[in-house]
Each structure stands twice: as C-alpha cells, then as structure tokens.
Amino acid sequence: MKEMKTRITQKGQVTIPAEIRSRLGLKPRDTVRFTMEGDIVTLAAAKSRLLEGFGAVKPHKRPEDWRKIREETERAIAEDVIREDVES
C-alpha cells in the first residue's frame, strides 16, 4: 500500500494528490464520496445521479422526434391553461 501525505488548511480542506486524482479519474468540480469504517476513511469518485439514471426510461422509438414531443407538450399545456380559464 502506497502512502501519501497532505496538509489540512485552516478551513479543513486538503489537496488530493495528482496521482490519486489521476487514478480515480477525478477532475475539477467532480464529487467524491468518503466512507468511514472505524478509523479508516476511503475516498472514491461519486457517480453523477444524472448519469446513474441515464437509460432508465426507454424511448418509444429511436431516434426520438424531439420537435414533435415539444409540440405535443406545448399543446397539452395550452389546453390546461384554456381549461383553467373556462373553469374560473
């Protein structure tokens, strides 16, 4: 096991050594996850929630016709607004 040291700033921040950032594929603004088990702390790259959900909803067909989807959405919103005006 290779050991690396870094200092803690007055704000409680540390710099993750370049070798570790490279190995974990970390880039500026990435999110990391700390796991504690007793006195041992593990650092790992945290997966994006957006990317974790990618592909969870299957499209009706490929490629999607985004223009048609937008038109249908706008039409549904307009119908809701008209319905609200009539009911009030």
Side-chain angles (χ1 to χ4, degrees):
M1 178 188 290
K2 187 172 185 177
E3 183 178 300
M4 295 178 218
K5 291 183 180 181
T6 186
R7 290 187 188 259
I8 300 174
T9 68
Q10 288 185 349
K11 291 183 178 182
Q13 299 169 332
V14 297
T15 299
I16 301 169
E19 185 176 339
I20 294 173
R21 292 192 315 267
S22 176
R23 176 84 181 262
L24 295 178
L26 296 173
K27 297 188 177 23
R29 301 204 174 272
D30 280 355
T31 303
V32 295
R33 182 182 68 246
F34 294 96
T35 306
M36 288 183 60
E37 197 168 319
D39 290 340
I40 306 295
V41 178
T42 305
L43 168 75
K47 293 183 179 180
S48 162
R49 287 185 179 172
L50 179 62
L51 292 178
E52 284 179 357
F54 182 77
V57 177
K58 301 294 179 200
H60 297 289
K61 62 180 180 175
R62 291 187 190 261
E64 289 283 356
D65 183 351
W66 295 109
R67 180 171 288 144
K68 181 179 178 183
I69 291 170
R70 181 178 178 153
E71 289 172 357
E72 290 172 355
T73 303
E74 289 175 349
R75 189 175 308 115
I77 292 170
E79 289 171 359
D80 286 346
V81 170
I82 291 169
R83 192 174 313 115
E84 287 176 6
D85 286 343
V86 170
E87 291 174 357
S88 56

Coordinates of all heavy atoms in Angstrom, one line a residue:
M1 N 0.9 -1.2 0.0 CA 0.0 0.0 0.0 C 0.9 1.2 0.0 O 1.8 1.4 0.8 CB -0.9 0.0 1.2 CG -1.8 1.2 1.3 SD -2.7 1.4 2.8 CE -3.9 0.1 2.7
K2 N 0.6 2.1 -0.9 CA 1.4 3.4 -1.0 C 0.8 4.4 -0.1 O -0.4 4.6 -0.1 CB 1.4 3.9 -2.5 CG 2.3 5.0 -2.7 CD 2.4 5.3 -4.2 CE 3.4 6.4 -4.4 NZ 3.5 6.7 -5.9
E3 N 1.6 5.2 0.6 CA 1.2 6.2 1.5 C 1.5 7.6 0.9 O 2.6 7.8 0.4 CB 1.8 6.0 2.9 CG 1.3 7.1 3.9 CD 1.9 6.8 5.3 OE1 1.7 5.8 5.8 OE2 2.6 7.8 5.7
M4 N 0.6 8.5 1.0 CA 0.8 9.9 0.6 C 0.3 10.8 1.7 O -0.6 10.5 2.3 CB 0.1 10.2 -0.7 CG 0.6 9.4 -1.9 SD -0.4 9.7 -3.4 CE -0.5 8.1 -4.1
K5 N 1.0 11.9 1.8 CA 0.6 12.9 2.9 C 0.2 14.2 2.2 O 0.7 14.6 1.2 CB 1.8 13.1 3.8 CG 2.1 11.9 4.7 CD 3.2 12.3 5.6 CE 3.6 11.1 6.5 NZ 4.6 11.5 7.5
T6 N -0.6 14.9 2.9 CA -1.0 16.3 2.5 C -1.4 17.0 3.8 O -1.8 16.4 4.8 CB -2.2 16.3 1.5 OG1 -2.4 17.6 1.0 CG2 -3.4 15.7 2.0
R7 N -1.4 18.3 3.8 CA -1.8 19.1 4.9 C -3.2 19.6 4.9 O -3.8 19.8 3.8 CB -0.9 20.4 5.0 CG 0.5 20.1 5.4 CD 1.3 21.4 5.6 NE 2.7 21.1 5.8 CZ 3.3 21.1 6.9 NH1 2.6 21.3 8.0 NH2 4.6 20.8 7.0
I8 N -3.8 19.8 6.1 CA -5.1 20.3 6.2 C -5.0 21.8 6.4 O -4.3 22.3 7.2 CB -5.9 19.6 7.4 CG1 -6.0 18.1 7.2 CG2 -7.3 20.2 7.5 CD1 -6.5 17.4 8.4
T9 N -5.8 22.5 5.6 CA -5.8 24.0 5.7 C -6.6 24.4 6.9 O -7.3 23.6 7.5 CB -6.4 24.7 4.4 OG1 -7.8 24.4 4.4 CG2 -5.7 24.2 3.2
Q10 N -6.6 25.7 7.2 CA -7.4 26.2 8.4 C -8.9 26.0 8.1 O -9.7 25.9 9.0 CB -7.1 27.6 8.6 CG -5.7 27.8 9.3 CD -5.4 29.3 9.6 OE1 -6.2 30.2 9.3 NE2 -4.3 29.5 10.4
K11 N -9.3 25.9 6.8 CA -10.7 25.7 6.5 C -11.1 24.2 6.5 O -12.2 23.9 6.1 CB -11.0 26.3 5.1 CG -10.9 27.8 5.1 CD -11.3 28.3 3.7 CE -11.4 29.8 3.6 NZ -11.8 30.2 2.3
G12 N -10.1 23.4 6.8 CA -10.4 21.9 6.8 C -10.3 21.3 5.4 O -10.8 20.2 5.2
Q13 N -9.7 22.0 4.5 CA -9.5 21.4 3.1 C -8.2 20.7 2.9 O -7.2 21.1 3.6 CB -9.7 22.6 2.1 CG -11.0 23.3 2.2 CD -11.0 24.6 1.4 OE1 -10.0 25.2 1.2 NE2 -12.2 25.0 0.9
V14 N -8.2 19.8 2.0 CA -7.0 19.1 1.7 C -6.9 19.0 0.1 O -7.9 19.1 -0.6 CB -6.9 17.6 2.2 CG1 -6.9 17.6 3.7 CG2 -8.0 16.8 1.7
T15 N -5.7 18.9 -0.4 CA -5.5 18.7 -1.8 C -5.3 17.2 -2.0 O -4.5 16.6 -1.4 CB -4.2 19.5 -2.3 OG1 -4.4 20.9 -2.0 CG2 -4.0 19.3 -3.7
I16 N -6.1 16.7 -2.9 CA -5.9 15.3 -3.3 C -4.7 15.2 -4.2 O -4.7 15.8 -5.2 CB -7.2 14.7 -4.0 CG1 -8.4 14.9 -3.0 CG2 -7.0 13.3 -4.4 CD1 -9.8 14.7 -3.7
P17 N -3.7 14.4 -3.8 CA -2.5 14.3 -4.7 C -2.9 13.9 -6.1 O -3.8 13.2 -6.4 CB -1.7 13.2 -4.0 CG -2.2 13.2 -2.6 CD -3.6 13.6 -2.6
A18 N -2.1 14.5 -7.1 CA -2.3 14.3 -8.5 C -2.4 12.8 -8.9 O -3.3 12.4 -9.7 CB -1.2 15.0 -9.3
E19 N -1.6 12.0 -8.3 CA -1.6 10.5 -8.6 C -2.9 9.9 -8.3 O -3.5 9.1 -9.0 CB -0.5 9.8 -7.9 CG -0.3 8.4 -8.2 CD 0.9 7.7 -7.6 OE1 1.8 8.4 -7.1 OE2 0.9 6.5 -7.5
I20 N -3.5 10.3 -7.1 CA -4.8 9.8 -6.7 C -5.9 10.3 -7.7 O -6.8 9.5 -8.1 CB -5.1 10.1 -5.3 CG1 -4.1 9.4 -4.4 CG2 -6.5 9.7 -4.9 CD1 -4.2 9.8 -2.9
R21 N -5.9 11.6 -7.9 CA -6.9 12.2 -8.8 C -6.8 11.5 -10.2 O -7.9 11.1 -10.8 CB -6.6 13.7 -9.0 CG -6.9 14.5 -7.8 CD -6.9 16.0 -8.1 NE -5.9 16.5 -8.9 CZ -4.7 17.0 -8.5 NH1 -4.5 17.1 -7.2 NH2 -3.9 17.4 -9.4
S22 N -5.6 11.2 -10.7 CA -5.5 10.6 -12.0 C -6.0 9.1 -11.9 O -6.8 8.7 -12.8 CB -4.0 10.6 -12.4 OG -3.8 9.9 -13.6
R23 N -5.7 8.4 -10.9 CA -6.1 7.0 -10.8 C -7.6 6.9 -10.7 O -8.2 6.0 -11.2 CB -5.4 6.4 -9.5 CG -5.8 5.0 -9.2 CD -5.0 4.0 -10.0 NE -5.4 2.7 -9.7 CZ -4.7 1.9 -8.8 NH1 -3.7 2.3 -8.2 NH2 -5.2 0.6 -8.6
L24 N -8.3 7.8 -10.0 CA -9.7 7.8 -9.8 C -10.5 8.5 -10.9 O -11.7 8.5 -11.0 CB -10.1 8.4 -8.5 CG -9.6 7.7 -7.2 CD1 -10.1 8.5 -6.0 CD2 -10.2 6.3 -7.2
G25 N -9.7 9.2 -11.8 CA -10.3 9.9 -12.9 C -11.0 11.2 -12.5 O -12.0 11.6 -13.1
L26 N -10.5 11.8 -11.4 CA -11.2 13.0 -10.8 C -10.7 14.2 -11.6 O -9.5 14.4 -11.9 CB -10.8 13.1 -9.3 CG -11.4 12.0 -8.4 CD1 -10.8 12.2 -7.0 CD2 -12.9 12.0 -8.4
K27 N -11.7 15.1 -11.8 CA -11.4 16.4 -12.5 C -12.0 17.5 -11.6 O -12.8 17.2 -10.7 CB -12.1 16.4 -13.8 CG -11.4 15.3 -14.7 CD -11.9 15.4 -16.1 CE -11.3 14.4 -17.1 NZ -10.8 13.2 -16.6
P28 N -11.6 18.7 -11.8 CA -12.1 19.8 -11.0 C -13.7 19.8 -11.1 O -14.3 19.5 -12.1 CB -11.6 21.1 -11.7 CG -10.3 20.6 -12.3 CD -10.6 19.2 -12.8
R29 N -14.3 20.1 -9.9 CA -15.7 20.1 -9.7 C -16.4 18.8 -9.6 O -17.6 18.7 -9.5 CB -16.4 21.0 -10.7 CG -15.9 22.5 -10.8 CD -17.0 23.4 -11.3 NE -16.6 24.7 -11.2 CZ -16.8 25.5 -10.1 NH1 -17.4 25.0 -9.1 NH2 -16.4 26.8 -10.1
D30 N -15.6 17.7 -9.8 CA -16.2 16.3 -9.6 C -16.6 16.2 -8.1 O -16.1 16.9 -7.2 CB -15.2 15.2 -9.9 CG -15.1 15.0 -11.4 OD1 -15.9 15.6 -12.2 OD2 -14.2 14.2 -11.8
T31 N -17.5 15.3 -7.8 CA -17.9 15.0 -6.5 C -17.2 13.7 -6.0 O -17.1 12.7 -6.8 CB -19.4 14.8 -6.4 OG1 -20.0 16.0 -6.9 CG2 -19.9 14.6 -5.0
V32 N -16.8 13.7 -4.7 CA -16.2 12.5 -4.2 C -17.0 12.0 -3.0 O -17.8 12.7 -2.4 CB -14.7 12.7 -3.7 CG1 -13.8 13.1 -4.9 CG2 -14.6 13.8 -2.7
R33 N -16.8 10.7 -2.7 CA -17.5 10.1 -1.6 C -16.5 9.6 -0.5 O -15.5 9.0 -0.9 CB -18.3 8.9 -2.1 CG -19.2 8.2 -1.1 CD -19.9 7.0 -1.7 NE -19.0 6.0 -2.1 CZ -18.8 5.6 -3.3 NH1 -19.4 6.1 -4.3 NH2 -18.0 4.6 -3.6
F34 N -16.7 9.9 0.7 CA -15.9 9.4 1.8 C -16.7 8.3 2.5 O -17.9 8.4 2.8 CB -15.6 10.5 2.8 CG -14.7 11.6 2.3 CD1 -15.3 12.7 1.8 CD2 -13.3 11.4 2.3 CE1 -14.4 13.8 1.3 CE2 -12.5 12.4 1.8 CZ -13.1 13.6 1.3
T35 N -16.0 7.2 2.8 CA -16.6 6.1 3.6 C -15.8 5.9 4.8 O -14.6 5.7 4.7 CB -16.7 4.8 2.7 OG1 -17.4 5.1 1.5 CG2 -17.5 3.7 3.4
M36 N -16.4 5.8 6.0 CA -15.6 5.6 7.2 C -16.0 4.2 7.8 O -17.1 3.8 7.9 CB -16.0 6.6 8.3 CG -15.4 8.0 8.0 SD -15.8 9.2 9.3 CE -15.1 8.4 10.7
E37 N -14.9 3.5 8.1 CA -15.1 2.2 8.8 C -14.0 2.2 9.9 O -12.8 2.0 9.7 CB -14.8 1.1 7.8 CG -15.3 -0.3 8.2 CD -15.2 -1.3 7.1 OE1 -15.6 -1.0 6.0 OE2 -14.9 -2.4 7.4
G38 N -14.6 2.4 11.1 CA -13.6 2.6 12.2 C -12.8 3.9 12.0 O -13.4 4.9 11.8
D39 N -11.5 3.8 12.1 CA -10.6 4.9 11.9 C -10.1 5.0 10.4 O -9.3 5.8 10.1 CB -9.4 4.8 12.8 CG -9.8 5.1 14.3 OD1 -10.9 5.7 14.5 OD2 -9.1 4.7 15.2
I40 N -10.6 4.1 9.6 CA -10.2 4.1 8.2 C -11.2 4.9 7.3 O -12.4 4.6 7.4 CB -10.1 2.6 7.7 CG1 -9.2 1.8 8.6 CG2 -9.6 2.6 6.2 CD1 -7.7 2.2 8.6
V41 N -10.7 5.8 6.5 CA -11.5 6.6 5.6 C -11.1 6.3 4.2 O -9.9 6.3 3.9 CB -11.3 8.1 5.9 CG1 -12.2 8.9 4.9 CG2 -11.7 8.5 7.3
T42 N -12.1 6.0 3.4 CA -11.9 5.7 2.0 C -12.4 6.8 1.1 O -13.6 7.2 1.4 CB -12.5 4.3 1.6 OG1 -12.1 3.3 2.5 CG2 -12.2 3.9 0.2
L43 N -11.7 7.2 0.1 CA -12.1 8.2 -0.8 C -12.4 7.5 -2.2 O -11.6 6.7 -2.7 CB -11.0 9.2 -1.0 CG -11.2 10.2 -2.2 CD1 -12.2 11.2 -1.8 CD2 -9.8 10.9 -2.5
A44 N -13.6 7.8 -2.8 CA -13.9 7.3 -4.1 C -14.6 8.3 -4.9 O -15.2 9.3 -4.4 CB -14.8 6.1 -3.9
A45 N -14.6 8.2 -6.2 CA -15.3 9.1 -7.1 C -16.8 8.8 -6.9 O -17.2 7.6 -6.8 CB -14.9 8.8 -8.5
A46 N -17.6 9.8 -6.8 CA -19.1 9.7 -6.6 C -19.7 9.8 -8.0 O -19.4 10.7 -8.7 CB -19.6 10.7 -5.7
K47 N -20.5 8.8 -8.3 CA -21.2 8.8 -9.6 C -22.2 9.9 -9.7 O -22.9 10.2 -8.7 CB -21.8 7.5 -10.0 CG -20.8 6.4 -10.1 CD -21.5 5.1 -10.5 CE -20.5 4.0 -10.7 NZ -21.1 2.7 -11.1
S48 N -22.4 10.5 -10.8 CA -23.4 11.5 -11.0 C -24.8 10.9 -11.0 O -25.1 9.9 -11.6 CB -23.2 12.2 -12.4 OG -24.4 12.9 -12.8
R49 N -25.7 11.5 -10.2 CA -27.1 11.0 -10.2 C -27.7 11.0 -11.5 O -28.5 10.2 -11.9 CB -27.9 11.8 -9.2 CG -27.5 11.5 -7.8 CD -28.4 12.2 -6.8 NE -28.0 11.8 -5.4 CZ -28.5 12.4 -4.4 NH1 -29.5 13.3 -4.5 NH2 -28.2 12.0 -3.2
L50 N -27.4 12.1 -12.3 CA -28.0 12.2 -13.6 C -27.5 11.0 -14.5 O -28.3 10.4 -15.2 CB -27.5 13.5 -14.3 CG -28.0 13.8 -15.7 CD1 -29.5 13.9 -15.7 CD2 -27.4 15.1 -16.2
L51 N -26.2 10.8 -14.5 CA -25.6 9.7 -15.3 C -26.1 8.3 -14.8 O -26.3 7.4 -15.6 CB -24.1 9.7 -15.3 CG -23.5 10.9 -16.0 CD1 -22.0 10.9 -15.9 CD2 -23.9 10.9 -17.5
E52 N -26.3 8.2 -13.5 CA -26.9 6.9 -12.9 C -28.2 6.6 -13.5 O -28.6 5.4 -13.7 CB -26.9 6.9 -11.4 CG -25.6 6.8 -10.7 CD -25.7 6.9 -9.2 OE1 -26.8 7.1 -8.7 OE2 -24.6 6.7 -8.6
G53 N -29.0 7.6 -13.7 CA -30.4 7.4 -14.3 C -30.4 7.3 -15.8 O -31.5 7.0 -16.4
F54 N -29.3 7.6 -16.4 CA -29.3 7.6 -17.9 C -29.7 6.2 -18.4 O -29.3 5.2 -18.0 CB -27.9 7.9 -18.4 CG -27.8 7.9 -19.9 CD1 -28.3 9.0 -20.6 CD2 -27.3 6.8 -20.6 CE1 -28.2 9.0 -22.0 CE2 -27.2 6.8 -22.0 CZ -27.7 7.9 -22.7
G55 N -30.7 6.2 -19.3 CA -31.2 5.0 -19.9 C -32.3 4.3 -19.1 O -32.8 3.3 -19.5
A56 N -32.7 4.9 -18.0 CA -33.7 4.3 -17.1 C -35.1 4.3 -17.8 O -35.9 3.4 -17.6 CB -33.8 5.0 -15.8
V57 N -35.3 5.4 -18.6 CA -36.5 5.5 -19.4 C -36.3 5.2 -20.8 O -35.5 5.8 -21.5 CB -37.1 6.9 -19.2 CG1 -38.4 7.1 -20.0 CG2 -37.4 7.3 -17.8
K58 N -36.9 4.1 -21.3 CA -36.7 3.7 -22.7 C -37.6 4.6 -23.6 O -38.8 4.7 -23.4 CB -37.1 2.2 -22.9 CG -36.2 1.3 -22.0 CD -34.8 1.3 -22.4 CE -34.0 0.4 -21.5 NZ -32.6 0.7 -21.4
P59 N -37.0 5.1 -24.7 CA -37.8 5.9 -25.6 C -38.8 5.0 -26.4 O -38.6 3.8 -26.5 CB -36.7 6.5 -26.6 CG -35.6 5.6 -26.5 CD -35.6 5.0 -25.1
H60 N -39.8 5.6 -26.9 CA -40.8 4.9 -27.7 C -40.2 4.4 -29.0 O -40.5 3.3 -29.4 CB -42.0 5.8 -28.0 CG -42.8 6.2 -26.8 ND1 -43.5 5.3 -26.0 CD2 -42.9 7.4 -26.2 CE1 -44.1 6.0 -25.0 NE2 -43.7 7.2 -25.1
K61 N -39.4 5.2 -29.6 CA -38.7 4.8 -30.8 C -37.4 5.6 -30.9 O -37.2 6.6 -30.2 CB -39.5 5.1 -32.0 CG -39.9 6.6 -32.2 CD -40.7 6.9 -33.4 CE -41.0 8.4 -33.5 NZ -41.7 8.7 -34.7
R62 N -36.4 5.1 -31.7 CA -35.1 5.8 -31.8 C -35.0 6.2 -33.3 O -35.3 5.4 -34.1 CB -34.0 4.9 -31.4 CG -34.0 4.6 -30.0 CD -32.7 3.9 -29.6 NE -32.8 3.4 -28.3 CZ -32.2 4.0 -27.3 NH1 -31.5 5.1 -27.5 NH2 -32.3 3.5 -26.0
P63 N -34.5 7.3 -33.6 CA -34.3 8.5 -32.7 C -35.6 9.1 -32.4 O -36.6 9.1 -33.1 CB -33.4 9.4 -33.5 CG -33.7 9.1 -34.9 CD -34.1 7.7 -35.0
E64 N -35.7 9.7 -31.2 CA -36.9 10.5 -30.8 C -37.1 11.7 -31.7 O -36.1 12.3 -32.1 CB -36.7 11.0 -29.3 CG -36.8 9.8 -28.3 CD -38.2 9.3 -28.0 OE1 -39.2 9.9 -28.6 OE2 -38.3 8.4 -27.3
D65 N -38.3 12.0 -31.9 CA -38.7 13.2 -32.7 C -38.9 14.3 -31.7 O -40.1 14.5 -31.2 CB -39.9 13.0 -33.6 CG -40.3 14.2 -34.4 OD1 -39.7 15.2 -34.3 OD2 -41.2 14.0 -35.3
W66 N -37.9 15.0 -31.3 CA -38.0 16.0 -30.2 C -38.9 17.1 -30.6 O -39.5 17.7 -29.7 CB -36.6 16.5 -29.8 CG -35.8 15.3 -29.2 CD1 -34.7 14.7 -29.7 CD2 -36.1 14.7 -27.9 NE1 -34.3 13.7 -28.8 CE2 -35.1 13.7 -27.7 CE3 -37.0 14.9 -26.9 CZ2 -35.1 12.8 -26.6 CZ3 -37.0 14.0 -25.8 CH2 -36.0 13.1 -25.7
R67 N -38.9 17.5 -31.8 CA -39.8 18.6 -32.2 C -41.3 18.2 -32.0 O -42.0 19.0 -31.5 CB -39.6 18.9 -33.7 CG -40.5 20.1 -34.2 CD -40.1 20.5 -35.6 NE -38.8 21.3 -35.5 CZ -37.9 21.2 -36.4 NH1 -38.0 20.5 -37.5 NH2 -36.8 21.9 -36.2
K68 N -41.6 17.0 -32.4 CA -43.0 16.5 -32.2 C -43.3 16.4 -30.7 O -44.4 16.8 -30.2 CB -43.1 15.1 -32.8 CG -44.5 14.6 -32.7 CD -44.7 13.2 -33.3 CE -46.1 12.7 -33.1 NZ -46.2 11.3 -33.7
I69 N -42.4 16.0 -29.9 CA -42.6 15.9 -28.4 C -42.8 17.2 -27.8 O -43.7 17.5 -27.0 CB -41.4 15.2 -27.7 CG1 -41.4 13.7 -28.1 CG2 -41.4 15.3 -26.2 CD1 -40.1 12.9 -27.7
R70 N -42.0 18.2 -28.3 CA -42.2 19.6 -27.7 C -43.5 20.1 -28.1 O -44.2 20.8 -27.3 CB -41.0 20.5 -28.3 CG -41.2 21.9 -27.8 CD -40.0 22.7 -28.2 NE -40.2 24.1 -27.7 CZ -39.3 24.9 -27.5 NH1 -38.0 24.6 -27.7 NH2 -39.6 26.2 -27.1
E71 N -43.9 20.0 -29.4 CA -45.2 20.5 -29.8 C -46.4 19.8 -29.0 O -47.3 20.5 -28.6 CB -45.4 20.2 -31.3 CG -44.5 21.0 -32.2 CD -44.6 20.6 -33.7 OE1 -45.3 19.6 -34.0 OE2 -43.9 21.3 -34.5
E72 N -46.3 18.5 -28.8 CA -47.3 17.8 -28.0 C -47.4 18.4 -26.6 O -48.5 18.6 -26.0 CB -47.1 16.3 -28.0 CG -47.3 15.7 -29.3 CD -46.9 14.2 -29.4 OE1 -46.3 13.7 -28.4 OE2 -47.1 13.6 -30.4
T73 N -46.2 18.6 -26.0 CA -46.1 19.2 -24.7 C -46.7 20.6 -24.6 O -47.5 20.9 -23.7 CB -44.7 19.2 -24.2 OG1 -44.1 17.9 -24.2 CG2 -44.6 19.7 -22.7
E74 N -46.3 21.4 -25.6 CA -46.9 22.8 -25.6 C -48.4 22.8 -25.8 O -49.1 23.6 -25.2 CB -46.2 23.6 -26.7 CG -44.7 23.9 -26.4 CD -44.0 24.6 -27.5 OE1 -44.5 24.7 -28.6 OE2 -42.9 25.1 -27.2
R75 N -48.9 21.9 -26.7 CA -50.3 21.8 -26.9 C -51.1 21.4 -25.6 O -52.1 21.9 -25.2 CB -50.6 20.7 -28.0 CG -52.1 20.7 -28.5 CD -52.3 19.8 -29.7 NE -51.4 20.1 -30.7 CZ -50.4 19.2 -31.2 NH1 -50.3 18.1 -30.6 NH2 -49.7 19.6 -32.2
A76 N -50.5 20.4 -24.9 CA -51.1 19.9 -23.6 C -51.1 21.1 -22.6 O -52.1 21.2 -21.9 CB -50.4 18.7 -23.1
I77 N -50.1 21.8 -22.5 CA -50.0 22.9 -21.6 C -51.1 24.0 -21.9 O -51.8 24.5 -21.1 CB -48.6 23.6 -21.5 CG1 -47.6 22.6 -20.9 CG2 -48.6 24.9 -20.8 CD1 -46.2 23.0 -21.0
A78 N -51.2 24.3 -23.2 CA -52.1 25.3 -23.7 C -53.6 24.8 -23.4 O -54.4 25.6 -22.9 CB -52.0 25.5 -25.2
E79 N -53.8 23.5 -23.6 CA -55.2 23.0 -23.2 C -55.5 23.1 -21.8 O -56.6 23.5 -21.4 CB -55.3 21.6 -23.7 CG -55.3 21.4 -25.2 CD -55.2 19.9 -25.7 OE1 -55.1 19.0 -24.8 OE2 -55.3 19.7 -26.9
D80 N -54.5 22.9 -20.9 CA -54.6 23.0 -19.5 C -54.9 24.5 -19.1 O -55.8 24.7 -18.3 CB -53.4 22.6 -18.7 CG -53.2 21.1 -18.7 OD1 -54.2 20.4 -19.0 OD2 -52.1 20.6 -18.3
V81 N -54.2 25.4 -19.7 CA -54.5 26.8 -19.4 C -55.9 27.2 -19.9 O -56.6 27.9 -19.1 CB -53.4 27.7 -20.1 CG1 -53.8 29.2 -20.1 CG2 -52.0 27.5 -19.5
I82 N -56.3 26.8 -21.0 CA -57.7 27.1 -21.5 C -58.7 26.5 -20.6 O -59.7 27.2 -20.2 CB -57.8 26.6 -23.0 CG1 -57.0 27.4 -23.9 CG2 -59.3 26.6 -23.4 CD1 -56.9 26.8 -25.3
R83 N -58.5 25.3 -20.2 CA -59.4 24.6 -19.3 C -59.5 25.4 -17.9 O -60.6 25.5 -17.4 CB -59.0 23.2 -19.0 CG -60.0 22.3 -18.3 CD -59.6 20.8 -18.2 NE -59.0 20.3 -19.5 CZ -57.8 19.9 -19.6 NH1 -56.9 19.9 -18.6 NH2 -57.3 19.4 -20.7
E84 N -58.4 25.9 -17.4 CA -58.4 26.6 -16.1 C -59.2 27.9 -16.3 O -59.9 28.3 -15.4 CB -57.0 26.9 -15.7 CG -56.2 25.7 -15.2 CD -54.8 26.0 -14.8 OE1 -54.3 27.2 -14.9 OE2 -54.0 25.1 -14.5
D85 N -59.0 28.6 -17.5 CA -59.7 29.9 -17.7 C -61.2 29.6 -17.8 O -62.0 30.4 -17.3 CB -59.2 30.5 -19.0 CG -57.9 31.1 -18.9 OD1 -57.4 31.4 -17.7 OD2 -57.2 31.4 -19.9
V86 N -61.6 28.5 -18.4 CA -63.1 28.2 -18.6 C -63.7 27.9 -17.2 O -64.8 28.3 -16.9 CB -63.2 27.0 -19.6 CG1 -64.7 26.6 -19.6 CG2 -62.8 27.5 -21.0
E87 N -62.9 27.1 -16.4 CA -63.4 26.7 -15.1 C -63.5 27.9 -14.1 O -64.3 27.8 -13.2 CB -62.6 25.6 -14.6 CG -62.7 24.3 -15.3 CD -61.7 23.2 -14.9 OE1 -60.9 23.5 -14.0 OE2 -61.8 22.1 -15.4
S88 N -62.7 28.9 -14.3 CA -62.7 30.0 -13.3 C -63.6 31.1 -13.7 O -64.5 31.1 -14.4 CB -61.3 30.6 -13.1 OG -60.8 31.0 -14.4

